[in-house]
Amino acid sequence: MESNKFNSLIARVVAQHRGLYRVLCKDNEFWAKVPGKTIYQATSQIDYPVVGDLVSIVTQVSGHAIIESILPRINILQRKSAGKHDLQPIAANLYAAFIVQSVDRDFNPNRFERYLTVVEAAKIKPILVLNKCDLITPEELNGKMSLLADRFKDIPILTTSTLRVDGINSLKKAIIPQHIYCVLGSSGVGKSSLINRLLSKESLKTQEISNQTKKGKHTTTHRELFILDGGGMIIDNPGMREIGLADAKEGVSNVFAEIEELGKDCRFIDCTHQHEPGCGILAAVESGKLSTEKYQSYIKLKKEADYNDMTSLEKRWKDKSFGKMVKTAKKQIRK
Ligand code: GDP
Ligand code: ZN
């Protein structure tokens, strides 16, 4: 948005597609790529631009642009790709995440907590959103709100209905200009409906961006970063939609840092903190230094995170042996 003496411009990455990046600079958009030097020097995926990045570009006579560098990131949201050990970047420079649940069937504070661990681990501000409020009575809604307020102190909670205007207005007001937001939550809770309500008609969320390659072939992709009327930004991409449970491990450690600290006193380095002698965490529960409630939710979350951390092969094996165990147990009951 400013240029220096080398004619570099600062632009925002709004989409990426097969090694090409769609970048927005003031009101102009370009297809851009990284130079060979970047590819040569890259040691991991995070050395490449990702949606939400601010990049320094140089435009070329062809109308395309070269990405010279990625400006320092505030944060980067990554997820584990199925069966792989490396992390895949989803988006950069996110300020806050709207964690959405619908108040009817989807309502589940434990699931909120899992999203919270992921979001907080990535240093993204969480905002809880209860959608489809039109489906329950105000009394029911109040009950759910106070339940959440008790459990998730200091975390803002918004109530919305994509059918009603008032909730949408408070959602709009929560969005700070120049800040990037994402919308997380299970499928069917109303994420797309909410995003569409935030966008003006002209934004055309599903508009395709097409590119003609040198060989004359056309490629198309969808925009993943949207600029809202007030100047705030929303990122919605397929990777984002899959964010959730698979990435909770680091988050678990963050939220329960104080508990893990107690684990440093454990006699065994691979202590599971459940039955081992000389366990520092169990000792703290015993002495009342750590509440049983907190301990139990730590173990529960840790188990889920460990499970999600396994490769799909390990999972299948575990499910199989678990299935066998259930079968054997059933047989024994019948005897
Ligand atoms: P997504 O999968 O999270 O993107 O959810 P969608 O936005 O596609 O919405 C799923 C379904 O819920 C659609 O049939 C919507 O019309 C419906 N829906 C979305 N928001 C609301 C709401 O506030 N109230 C009601 N009653 N239905 C809604
Ligand atoms: Zn232990």
Side-chain angles (χ1 to χ4, degrees):
M1 305 173 209
E2 317 146 23
S3 59
N4 63 27
K5 59 184 175 186
F6 302 115
N7 289 325
S8 296
L9 301 163
I10 304 299
R12 180 80 71 179
V13 178
V14 299
Q16 62 187 97
H17 186 69
R18 294 169 190 247
L20 282 177
Y21 303 89
R22 185 73 171 173
V23 301
L24 173 69
C25 177
K26 281 185 198 159
D27 292 330
N28 296 316
E29 280 193 16
F30 307 94
W31 280 106
K33 53 184 181 182
V34 296
K37 192 180 101 201
T38 305
I39 299 170
Y40 180 71
Q41 289 174 344
T43 56
S44 89
Q45 290 261 42
I46 61 165
D47 296 323
Y48 290 94
V50 63
V51 173
D53 262 330
L54 279 174
V55 291
S56 155
I57 59 162
V58 180
T59 58
Q60 305 195 299
V61 271
S62 64
H64 287 212
I66 299 290
I67 297 175
E68 295 178 312
S69 62
I70 303 168
L71 273 60
R73 290 166 174 148
I74 295 166
N75 55 22
I76 183 155
L77 184 63
Q78 302 184 84
R79 67 181 291 263
K80 189 159 277 160
S81 24
K84 287 189 198 154
H85 279 289
D86 50 337
L87 293 168
Q88 179 199 352
I90 306 290
N93 299 322
L94 287 161
Y95 170 70
F98 293 112
I99 305 170
V100 187
Q101 271 181 15
S102 68
V103 288
D104 53 342
R105 283 164 305 181
D106 186 65
F107 183 77
N108 180 338
N110 289 335
R111 195 179 311 127
F112 261 135
E113 181 149 12
R114 289 197 290 259
Y115 276 104
L116 271 180
T117 60
V118 176
V119 164
E120 288 180 338
K123 307 243 178 327
I124 300 167
K125 192 172 125 79
I127 300 168
L128 303 185
V129 178
L130 288 178
N131 188 38
K132 306 200 189 181
C133 287
D134 54 284
L135 295 178
I136 58 171
T137 65
E139 291 74 36
E140 285 175 308
L141 181 59
N142 277 338
K144 292 191 154 96
M145 287 283 282
S146 54
L147 199 110
L148 292 178
D150 276 354
R151 180 153 164 195
F152 305 111
K153 294 181 181 69
D154 308 325
I155 295 177
I157 306 171
L158 297 174
T159 57
T160 55
S161 160
T162 61
L163 313 174
R164 292 192 205 138
V165 184
D166 50 342
I168 303 296
N169 279 341
S170 25
L171 187 66
K172 282 184 178 167
K173 273 187 208 141
I175 297 175
I176 308 168
Q178 309 303 326
H179 288 59
I180 305 182
Y181 295 77
C182 65
V183 182
L184 305 177
S186 310
S187 166
V189 296
K191 296 183 299 296
S192 304
S193 311
L194 283 168
I195 294 172
N196 282 332
R197 285 296 222 127
L198 293 174
L199 295 173
S200 61
K201 286 198 190 78
E202 305 80 68
S203 309
L204 289 170
K205 182 165 155 26
T206 53
Q207 192 179 30
E208 278 185 346
I209 317 166
S210 74
N211 173 47
Q212 194 170 9
T213 62
K214 278 208 187 95
K215 289 173 189 151
K217 254 172 69 183
H218 268 284
T219 55
T220 57
T221 188
H222 288 283
R223 179 180 307 282
E224 297 174 5
L225 182 145
F226 306 90
I227 316 271
L228 307 179
D229 283 345
M233 291 165 268
I234 289 236
I235 293 181
D236 183 33
N237 66 23
M240 194 72 88
R241 295 226 154 189
E242 285 161 31
I243 277 285
L245 309 183
D247 315 76
K249 187 148 188 177
E250 197 197 335
V252 172
S253 298
N254 266 18
V255 171
F256 293 105
E258 40 176 332
I259 301 183
E260 304 242 296
E261 192 63 37
L262 296 166
K264 284 191 177 145
D265 299 335
C266 298
R267 188 181 304 160
F268 303 110
I269 196 149
D270 57 349
C271 186
T272 64
H273 322 305
Q274 291 177 79
H275 43 69
E276 291 85 350
C279 171
I281 292 181
L282 286 174
V285 177
E286 196 89 337
S287 72
K289 195 174 157 194
L290 175 66
S291 79
T292 316
E293 202 187 12
K294 220 169 179 183
Y295 166 75
Q296 277 166 349
S297 69
Y298 167 74
I299 293 294
K300 188 166 163 277
L301 265 176
K302 197 168 174 306
K303 272 187 187 160
E304 279 173 18
D306 284 345
Y307 180 79
N308 283 308
D309 226 40
M310 282 189 258
T311 63
S312 23
L313 195 72
E314 286 170 326
K315 262 188 209 171
R316 241 181 287 147
W317 187 85
K318 189 152 194 254
D319 288 343
K320 242 192 198 161
S321 53
F322 179 72
K324 254 192 204 159
M325 196 180 83
V326 172
K327 256 191 201 160
T328 324
K330 273 187 183 163
K331 265 188 207 157
Q332 278 168 351
I333 292 167
R334 263 187 247 129
K335 270 180 198 165

mmCIF file of all heavy atoms in Angstrom, residues 168-201:
data_model
loop_
_atom_site.group_PDB
_atom_site.id
_atom_site.type_symbol
_atom_site.label_atom_id
_atom_site.label_comp_id
_atom_site.label_asym_id
_atom_site.label_seq_id
_atom_site.Cartn_x
_atom_site.Cartn_y
_atom_site.Cartn_z
ATOM 1 N N ILE A 168 -26.667 -10.145 14.186
ATOM 2 C CA ILE A 168 -25.687 -9.937 13.124
ATOM 3 C C ILE A 168 -25.001 -8.582 13.300
ATOM 4 O O ILE A 168 -23.800 -8.445 13.085
ATOM 5 C CB ILE A 168 -26.353 -10.029 11.731
ATOM 6 C CG1 ILE A 168 -27.058 -11.377 11.555
ATOM 7 C CG2 ILE A 168 -25.332 -9.787 10.613
ATOM 8 C CD1 ILE A 168 -26.159 -12.590 11.574
ATOM 9 N N ASN A 169 -25.796 -7.581 13.733
ATOM 10 C CA ASN A 169 -25.195 -6.263 13.957
ATOM 11 C C ASN A 169 -24.152 -6.285 15.063
ATOM 12 O O ASN A 169 -23.094 -5.661 14.937
ATOM 13 C CB ASN A 169 -26.271 -5.228 14.258
ATOM 14 C CG ASN A 169 -26.925 -4.728 12.984
ATOM 15 O OD1 ASN A 169 -26.352 -4.883 11.894
ATOM 16 N ND2 ASN A 169 -28.106 -4.160 13.095
ATOM 17 N N SER A 170 -24.423 -7.036 16.139
ATOM 18 C CA SER A 170 -23.404 -7.079 17.200
ATOM 19 C C SER A 170 -22.175 -7.857 16.735
ATOM 20 O O SER A 170 -21.052 -7.559 17.146
ATOM 21 C CB SER A 170 -23.955 -7.640 18.510
ATOM 22 O OG SER A 170 -25.039 -8.473 18.307
ATOM 23 N N LEU A 171 -22.396 -8.825 15.867
ATOM 24 C CA LEU A 171 -21.266 -9.556 15.296
ATOM 25 C C LEU A 171 -20.418 -8.598 14.449
ATOM 26 O O LEU A 171 -19.191 -8.564 14.551
ATOM 27 C CB LEU A 171 -21.795 -10.709 14.436
ATOM 28 C CG LEU A 171 -20.794 -11.697 13.864
ATOM 29 C CD1 LEU A 171 -20.129 -12.481 14.992
ATOM 30 C CD2 LEU A 171 -21.473 -12.671 12.914
ATOM 31 N N LYS A 172 -21.098 -7.779 13.635
ATOM 32 C CA LYS A 172 -20.388 -6.803 12.806
ATOM 33 C C LYS A 172 -19.605 -5.831 13.668
ATOM 34 O O LYS A 172 -18.464 -5.483 13.362
ATOM 35 C CB LYS A 172 -21.377 -6.018 11.935
ATOM 36 C CG LYS A 172 -21.857 -6.791 10.723
ATOM 37 C CD LYS A 172 -22.744 -5.923 9.846
ATOM 38 C CE LYS A 172 -23.192 -6.702 8.598
ATOM 39 N NZ LYS A 172 -24.269 -6.030 7.885
ATOM 40 N N LYS A 173 -20.237 -5.411 14.781
ATOM 41 C CA LYS A 173 -19.577 -4.447 15.664
ATOM 42 C C LYS A 173 -18.353 -5.038 16.337
ATOM 43 O O LYS A 173 -17.432 -4.315 16.723
ATOM 44 C CB LYS A 173 -20.572 -3.951 16.720
ATOM 45 C CG LYS A 173 -21.382 -2.773 16.223
ATOM 46 C CD LYS A 173 -22.224 -2.189 17.344
ATOM 47 C CE LYS A 173 -23.474 -1.536 16.766
ATOM 48 N NZ LYS A 173 -24.654 -1.770 17.589
ATOM 49 N N ALA A 174 -18.346 -6.348 16.502
ATOM 50 C CA ALA A 174 -17.209 -6.999 17.171
ATOM 51 C C ALA A 174 -15.975 -7.038 16.264
ATOM 52 O O ALA A 174 -14.871 -7.335 16.716
ATOM 53 C CB ALA A 174 -17.601 -8.416 17.593
ATOM 54 N N ILE A 175 -16.177 -6.758 14.992
ATOM 55 C CA ILE A 175 -15.063 -6.865 14.041
ATOM 56 C C ILE A 175 -14.306 -5.543 13.916
ATOM 57 O O ILE A 175 -14.864 -4.520 13.542
ATOM 58 C CB ILE A 175 -15.574 -7.348 12.663
ATOM 59 C CG1 ILE A 175 -16.165 -8.761 12.832
ATOM 60 C CG2 ILE A 175 -14.469 -7.337 11.627
ATOM 61 C CD1 ILE A 175 -16.808 -9.325 11.596
ATOM 62 N N ILE A 176 -13.025 -5.577 14.259
ATOM 63 C CA ILE A 176 -12.192 -4.368 14.243
ATOM 64 C C ILE A 176 -11.599 -4.188 12.838
ATOM 65 O O ILE A 176 -11.090 -5.149 12.257
ATOM 66 C CB ILE A 176 -11.051 -4.481 15.286
ATOM 67 C CG1 ILE A 176 -11.623 -4.846 16.674
ATOM 68 C CG2 ILE A 176 -10.229 -3.194 15.356
ATOM 69 C CD1 ILE A 176 -10.558 -5.261 17.680
ATOM 70 N N PRO A 177 -11.652 -2.952 12.293
ATOM 71 C CA PRO A 177 -11.063 -2.713 10.964
ATOM 72 C C PRO A 177 -9.594 -3.148 10.901
ATOM 73 O O PRO A 177 -8.882 -3.050 11.905
ATOM 74 C CB PRO A 177 -11.184 -1.197 10.791
ATOM 75 C CG PRO A 177 -12.270 -0.777 11.711
ATOM 76 C CD PRO A 177 -12.255 -1.745 12.852
ATOM 77 N N GLN A 178 -9.163 -3.629 9.763
ATOM 78 C CA GLN A 178 -7.764 -4.039 9.530
ATOM 79 C C GLN A 178 -7.362 -5.296 10.291
ATOM 80 O O GLN A 178 -6.196 -5.664 10.311
ATOM 81 C CB GLN A 178 -6.754 -2.924 9.874
ATOM 82 C CG GLN A 178 -7.030 -1.573 9.251
ATOM 83 C CD GLN A 178 -7.118 -1.625 7.734
ATOM 84 O OE1 GLN A 178 -6.416 -2.410 7.092
ATOM 85 N NE2 GLN A 178 -7.977 -0.828 7.150
ATOM 86 N N HIS A 179 -8.306 -5.938 10.951
ATOM 87 C CA HIS A 179 -7.981 -7.164 11.679
ATOM 88 C C HIS A 179 -8.590 -8.361 10.948
ATOM 89 O O HIS A 179 -9.634 -8.233 10.327
ATOM 90 C CB HIS A 179 -8.522 -7.114 13.109
ATOM 91 C CG HIS A 179 -7.756 -6.170 13.992
ATOM 92 N ND1 HIS A 179 -7.632 -4.828 13.705
ATOM 93 C CD2 HIS A 179 -7.060 -6.377 15.133
ATOM 94 C CE1 HIS A 179 -6.897 -4.255 14.641
ATOM 95 N NE2 HIS A 179 -6.538 -5.179 15.525
ATOM 96 N N ILE A 180 -7.894 -9.514 11.055
ATOM 97 C CA ILE A 180 -8.362 -10.702 10.339
ATOM 98 C C ILE A 180 -9.049 -11.688 11.287
ATOM 99 O O ILE A 180 -8.544 -11.978 12.364
ATOM 100 C CB ILE A 180 -7.204 -11.410 9.600
ATOM 101 C CG1 ILE A 180 -6.483 -10.425 8.667
ATOM 102 C CG2 ILE A 180 -7.710 -12.605 8.803
ATOM 103 C CD1 ILE A 180 -5.356 -11.064 7.855
ATOM 104 N N TYR A 181 -10.185 -12.193 10.834
ATOM 105 C CA TYR A 181 -10.992 -13.129 11.613
ATOM 106 C C TYR A 181 -11.191 -14.425 10.837
ATOM 107 O O TYR A 181 -11.084 -14.449 9.620
ATOM 108 C CB TYR A 181 -12.371 -12.511 11.893
ATOM 109 C CG TYR A 181 -12.282 -11.295 12.780
ATOM 110 C CD1 TYR A 181 -11.850 -10.065 12.265
ATOM 111 C CD2 TYR A 181 -12.602 -11.368 14.127
ATOM 112 C CE1 TYR A 181 -11.738 -8.951 13.079
ATOM 113 C CE2 TYR A 181 -12.498 -10.264 14.950
ATOM 114 C CZ TYR A 181 -12.064 -9.061 14.428
ATOM 115 O OH TYR A 181 -11.945 -7.967 15.236
ATOM 116 N N CYS A 182 -11.470 -15.500 11.566
ATOM 117 C CA CYS A 182 -11.895 -16.717 10.885
ATOM 118 C C CYS A 182 -13.115 -17.255 11.618
ATOM 119 O O CYS A 182 -13.417 -16.831 12.730
ATOM 120 C CB CYS A 182 -10.770 -17.749 10.846
ATOM 121 S SG CYS A 182 -10.284 -18.356 12.459
ATOM 122 N N VAL A 183 -13.817 -18.166 10.972
ATOM 123 C CA VAL A 183 -15.045 -18.712 11.533
ATOM 124 C C VAL A 183 -14.879 -20.223 11.638
ATOM 125 O O VAL A 183 -14.688 -20.893 10.628
ATOM 126 C CB VAL A 183 -16.258 -18.357 10.639
ATOM 127 C CG1 VAL A 183 -17.552 -18.875 11.247
ATOM 128 C CG2 VAL A 183 -16.349 -16.847 10.427
ATOM 129 N N LEU A 184 -14.886 -20.750 12.850
ATOM 130 C CA LEU A 184 -14.682 -22.182 13.066
ATOM 131 C C LEU A 184 -15.946 -22.827 13.618
ATOM 132 O O LEU A 184 -16.771 -22.155 14.219
ATOM 133 C CB LEU A 184 -13.538 -22.408 14.068
ATOM 134 C CG LEU A 184 -12.176 -21.776 13.771
ATOM 135 C CD1 LEU A 184 -11.209 -22.065 14.920
ATOM 136 C CD2 LEU A 184 -11.612 -22.292 12.467
ATOM 137 N N GLY A 185 -16.069 -24.116 13.436
ATOM 138 C CA GLY A 185 -17.213 -24.828 14.005
ATOM 139 C C GLY A 185 -17.597 -26.005 13.136
ATOM 140 O O GLY A 185 -17.165 -26.111 11.987
ATOM 141 N N SER A 186 -18.409 -26.881 13.682
ATOM 142 C CA SER A 186 -18.820 -28.087 12.960
ATOM 143 C C SER A 186 -19.611 -27.725 11.712
ATOM 144 O O SER A 186 -20.151 -26.630 11.606
ATOM 145 C CB SER A 186 -19.694 -28.967 13.842
ATOM 146 O OG SER A 186 -19.096 -29.173 15.076
ATOM 147 N N SER A 187 -19.714 -28.686 10.834
ATOM 148 C CA SER A 187 -20.474 -28.487 9.616
ATOM 149 C C SER A 187 -21.961 -28.350 9.969
ATOM 150 O O SER A 187 -22.468 -29.059 10.834
ATOM 151 C CB SER A 187 -20.224 -29.697 8.723
ATOM 152 O OG SER A 187 -21.146 -29.736 7.707
ATOM 153 N N GLY A 188 -22.621 -27.389 9.333
ATOM 154 C CA GLY A 188 -24.066 -27.230 9.526
ATOM 155 C C GLY A 188 -24.480 -26.253 10.615
ATOM 156 O O GLY A 188 -25.672 -26.014 10.815
ATOM 157 N N VAL A 189 -23.509 -25.677 11.324
ATOM 158 C CA VAL A 189 -23.868 -24.753 12.415
ATOM 159 C C VAL A 189 -24.240 -23.364 11.899
ATOM 160 O O VAL A 189 -24.787 -22.545 12.640
ATOM 161 C CB VAL A 189 -22.751 -24.632 13.480
ATOM 162 C CG1 VAL A 189 -22.528 -25.969 14.166
ATOM 163 C CG2 VAL A 189 -21.458 -24.104 12.892
ATOM 164 N N GLY A 190 -23.931 -23.082 10.628
ATOM 165 C CA GLY A 190 -24.313 -21.800 10.037
ATOM 166 C C GLY A 190 -23.138 -20.881 9.722
ATOM 167 O O GLY A 190 -23.312 -19.673 9.603
ATOM 168 N N LYS A 191 -21.932 -21.450 9.559
ATOM 169 C CA LYS A 191 -20.746 -20.622 9.277
ATOM 170 C C LYS A 191 -20.906 -19.856 7.963
ATOM 171 O O LYS A 191 -20.685 -18.650 7.914
ATOM 172 C CB LYS A 191 -19.472 -21.489 9.225
ATOM 173 C CG LYS A 191 -19.134 -22.160 10.545
ATOM 174 C CD LYS A 191 -17.844 -22.947 10.463
ATOM 175 C CE LYS A 191 -17.884 -24.069 9.444
ATOM 176 N NZ LYS A 191 -18.874 -25.117 9.790
ATOM 177 N N SER A 192 -21.290 -20.560 6.908
ATOM 178 C CA SER A 192 -21.440 -19.897 5.604
ATOM 179 C C SER A 192 -22.527 -18.833 5.674
ATOM 180 O O SER A 192 -22.361 -17.733 5.147
ATOM 181 C CB SER A 192 -21.821 -20.896 4.519
ATOM 182 O OG SER A 192 -20.881 -21.924 4.475
ATOM 183 N N SER A 193 -23.621 -19.162 6.317
ATOM 184 C CA SER A 193 -24.722 -18.195 6.428
ATOM 185 C C SER A 193 -24.252 -16.939 7.150
ATOM 186 O O SER A 193 -24.575 -15.825 6.736
ATOM 187 C CB SER A 193 -25.902 -18.798 7.194
ATOM 188 O OG SER A 193 -26.236 -20.058 6.680
ATOM 189 N N LEU A 194 -23.474 -17.119 8.223
ATOM 190 C CA LEU A 194 -22.967 -15.963 8.964
ATOM 191 C C LEU A 194 -22.022 -15.131 8.106
ATOM 192 O O LEU A 194 -22.128 -13.903 8.061
ATOM 193 C CB LEU A 194 -22.249 -16.419 10.236
ATOM 194 C CG LEU A 194 -23.136 -16.840 11.411
ATOM 195 C CD1 LEU A 194 -22.324 -17.536 12.483
ATOM 196 C CD2 LEU A 194 -23.862 -15.635 12.005
ATOM 197 N N ILE A 195 -21.108 -15.798 7.414
ATOM 198 C CA ILE A 195 -20.145 -15.070 6.577
ATOM 199 C C ILE A 195 -20.890 -14.303 5.487
ATOM 200 O O ILE A 195 -20.619 -13.130 5.238
ATOM 201 C CB ILE A 195 -19.089 -16.028 5.979
ATOM 202 C CG1 ILE A 195 -18.224 -16.619 7.098
ATOM 203 C CG2 ILE A 195 -18.205 -15.301 4.953
ATOM 204 C CD1 ILE A 195 -17.274 -17.719 6.658
ATOM 205 N N ASN A 196 -21.870 -14.940 4.871
ATOM 206 C CA ASN A 196 -22.639 -14.252 3.826
ATOM 207 C C ASN A 196 -23.360 -13.020 4.359
ATOM 208 O O ASN A 196 -23.486 -12.023 3.663
ATOM 209 C CB ASN A 196 -23.639 -15.220 3.187
ATOM 210 C CG ASN A 196 -22.945 -16.148 2.206
ATOM 211 O OD1 ASN A 196 -21.924 -15.789 1.615
ATOM 212 N ND2 ASN A 196 -23.467 -17.348 2.055
ATOM 213 N N ARG A 197 -23.824 -13.101 5.621
ATOM 214 C CA ARG A 197 -24.490 -11.957 6.231
ATOM 215 C C ARG A 197 -23.504 -10.814 6.496
ATOM 216 O O ARG A 197 -23.887 -9.656 6.502
ATOM 217 C CB ARG A 197 -25.153 -12.358 7.553
ATOM 218 C CG ARG A 197 -26.403 -13.154 7.384
ATOM 219 C CD ARG A 197 -27.463 -12.327 6.681
ATOM 220 N NE ARG A 197 -28.775 -12.515 7.280
ATOM 221 C CZ ARG A 197 -29.545 -11.529 7.697
ATOM 222 N NH1 ARG A 197 -29.157 -10.281 7.580
ATOM 223 N NH2 ARG A 197 -30.717 -11.776 8.205
ATOM 224 N N LEU A 198 -22.259 -11.166 6.740
ATOM 225 C CA LEU A 198 -21.250 -10.134 7.017
ATOM 226 C C LEU A 198 -20.778 -9.445 5.749
ATOM 227 O O LEU A 198 -20.353 -8.295 5.761
ATOM 228 C CB LEU A 198 -20.040 -10.747 7.730
ATOM 229 C CG LEU A 198 -20.278 -11.269 9.151
ATOM 230 C CD1 LEU A 198 -19.039 -11.980 9.664
ATOM 231 C CD2 LEU A 198 -20.652 -10.121 10.087
ATOM 232 N N LEU A 199 -20.832 -10.173 4.651
ATOM 233 C CA LEU A 199 -20.344 -9.621 3.384
ATOM 234 C C LEU A 199 -21.420 -8.794 2.708
ATOM 235 O O LEU A 199 -22.595 -9.129 2.780
ATOM 236 C CB LEU A 199 -19.952 -10.764 2.444
ATOM 237 C CG LEU A 199 -18.771 -11.635 2.874
ATOM 238 C CD1 LEU A 199 -18.637 -12.821 1.929
ATOM 239 C CD2 LEU A 199 -17.500 -10.820 2.868
ATOM 240 N N SER A 200 -20.995 -7.746 2.047
ATOM 241 C CA SER A 200 -21.964 -6.981 1.266
ATOM 242 C C SER A 200 -22.240 -7.761 -0.012
ATOM 243 O O SER A 200 -21.489 -8.650 -0.376
ATOM 244 C CB SER A 200 -21.399 -5.608 0.954
ATOM 245 O OG SER A 200 -20.222 -5.763 0.198
ATOM 246 N N LYS A 201 -23.314 -7.415 -0.683
ATOM 247 C CA LYS A 201 -23.700 -8.168 -1.880
ATOM 248 C C LYS A 201 -22.585 -8.193 -2.929
ATOM 249 O O LYS A 201 -22.374 -9.182 -3.614
ATOM 250 C CB LYS A 201 -24.961 -7.573 -2.487
ATOM 251 C CG LYS A 201 -26.207 -7.903 -1.697
ATOM 252 C CD LYS A 201 -27.459 -7.688 -2.530
ATOM 253 C CE LYS A 201 -28.706 -7.786 -1.687
ATOM 254 N NZ LYS A 201 -28.972 -6.552 -0.892
#
